[in-house]
Amino acid sequence: MRVTSGERLFYIVNGFILLLIGFLAAYPFWNIFVVSFNEGRDAMRGSIYFWPRKFSLEAYRAIFNESNLVHSTYVSIARTLLGTIVGVVCTAILAYLLSNRELIFRRWILFFFIITMYFSGGLIPEFMLIRDLHLYNNFLVYIIPGAIGVWNVMVMRQFFEDLPPSLAESARIDGASELRTLRSIILPMSTPVLATIALMIGVAQWTTWFDTYMYTSGSQELSTLQGVLVKILMETQIQSTDPTQAARLEQSGAILTPEVIKMATITITTVPIVMIYPFLQKYFVGGLTVGAVKG
């Protein structure tokens, strides 16, 4: 088939626009990566675009010299894996329950769930609740409070409602329980939404650091990678504002600034997510087509 000049021009313009969009999306991450490998004091001058102006590994050396870095990485991996599994399971069960239109008081339950998306009790009541549940300085504080996310429940509930209802009805007619119907019929057809929710929960678990400072500050064994990185960043900021410590660091040859430490921590935190995302991308792009049920 012969391609006309108009079609060829369209392909060229379309390709250029796609390349431009891809560049605009990828460049901020590349710039963060480049700045993290630049010498700290020189990076404060700005104008670093595509490669380091003064290459330096001081930021990464300061991070990897942290004594608790390896153990905190294991803690972060454990909370991410366990938190994602528990979160997806709890979200799927609750979403399936709320997708049942015959559920008593279903509208009221949905109403109360939605309220929690806009209003919260605040930080102090939350801290008191965590303390009263004996989750303070407990690994489960990373898992239980985040097991249910209302937004994730609503997304999965809508996906379940869009599935042909005759599938669940036929399973009930055959004597399957609700749990068996969910496990054998609904979940195998819901791979795209399960992958999406799993990625959202996993990223949230991996990048969260505030709960480490709030609820596990008394236990060094429960420090997460993100908590350690934030501690290093805060220490660097304090050192940069203290003339005595700044002069000592400069004499030792370690010229660090909060800017390069921040870029290095972002890079270390982002790399695992970037490595995992390609394995889940097909579920976002391909999706799943639910065929009609023959009558």
Side-chain angles (χ1 to χ4, degrees), residues 71-81 205-206 224-226:
H71 178 75
S72 63
T73 302
Y74 290 147
V75 175
S76 288
I77 294 175
R79 73 167 292 181
T80 300
L81 293 178
Q205 287 282 3
W206 177 257
T224 60
L225 173 62
Q226 286 67 33

Side-chain angles (χ1 to χ4, degrees), residues 165-229:
S166 56
L167 296 176
E169 293 174 359
S170 61
R172 296 189 187 100
I173 293 174
D174 292 337
S177 63
E178 294 294 338
L179 186 59
R180 178 66 182 274
T181 301
L182 174 63
R183 185 178 70 251
S184 303
I185 304 297
I186 304 300
L187 293 184
M189 301 184 63
S190 306
T191 304
V193 72
L194 292 176
T196 302
I197 298 301
L199 182 63
M200 294 171 63
I201 296 176
V203 170
Q205 287 282 3
W206 177 257
T207 58
T208 299
W209 61 270
F210 188 70
D211 53 1
T212 302
Y213 274 81
M214 282 294 297
Y215 308 124
T216 64
S217 58
S219 176
Q220 189 75 6
E221 296 295 321
L222 295 178
S223 296
T224 60
L225 173 62
Q226 286 67 33
V228 171
L229 295 179

Side-chain angles (χ1 to χ4, degrees), residues 44-195:
M44 297 177 63
R45 295 166 47 197
S47 301
I48 299 176
Y49 300 111
F50 296 102
W51 48 80
R53 187 165 47 232
K54 290 185 178 181
F55 184 82
S56 174
L57 294 174
E58 288 297 333
Y60 291 95
R61 188 175 293 114
I63 292 175
F64 288 108
N65 283 340
E66 174 64 32
S67 59
N68 197 34
L69 187 68
V70 176
H71 178 75
S72 63
T73 302
Y74 290 147
V75 175
S76 288
I77 294 175
R79 73 167 292 181
T80 300
L81 293 178
L82 185 58
T84 301
I85 294 173
V86 173
V88 171
V89 171
C90 293
T91 301
I93 294 175
L94 183 56
Y96 177 69
L97 177 66
L98 295 177
S99 66
N100 189 347
R101 300 184 183 276
E102 298 179 359
L103 177 66
I104 301 176
F105 303 124
R106 177 174 178 266
R107 291 183 178 273
W108 283 103
I109 296 175
L110 289 174
F111 174 75
F112 285 120
F113 266 85
I114 293 175
I115 285 180
T116 63
M117 297 177 61
Y118 300 98
F119 303 97
S120 66
L123 186 60
I124 295 177
E126 181 180 345
F127 181 87
M128 296 175 63
L129 176 63
I130 294 297
R131 181 196 61 190
D132 294 341
L133 292 175
H134 304 289
L135 294 177
Y136 190 77
N137 286 333
N138 189 326
F139 180 78
L140 292 179
V141 76
Y142 296 143
I143 309 301
I144 295 178
I148 294 294
V150 177
W151 172 257
N152 296 336
V153 172
M154 294 304 169
V155 171
M156 193 172 292
R157 177 189 68 89
Q158 186 61 49
F159 188 93
F160 289 166
E161 289 184 351
D162 291 339
L163 295 176
S166 56
L167 296 176
E169 293 174 359
S170 61
R172 296 189 187 100
I173 293 174
D174 292 337
S177 63
E178 294 294 338
L179 186 59
R180 178 66 182 274
T181 301
L182 174 63
R183 185 178 70 251
S184 303
I185 304 297
I186 304 300
L187 293 184
M189 301 184 63
S190 306
T191 304
V193 72
L194 292 176

Side-chain angles (χ1 to χ4, degrees), residues 32 36 59 63 233 237 257-267:
I32 291 173
S36 69
I63 292 175
L233 177 59
Q237 291 175 335
T257 61
E259 182 68 17
V260 294
I261 289 291
K262 180 170 63 177
M263 297 305 179
T265 57
I266 294 175
T267 301

Side-chain angles (χ1 to χ4, degrees), residues 225-242:
L225 173 62
Q226 286 67 33
V228 171
L229 295 179
V230 171
K231 185 189 73 172
I232 296 174
L233 177 59
M234 294 175 63
E235 291 176 350
T236 306
Q237 291 175 335
I238 294 174
Q239 292 173 355
S240 64
T241 57
D242 188 337

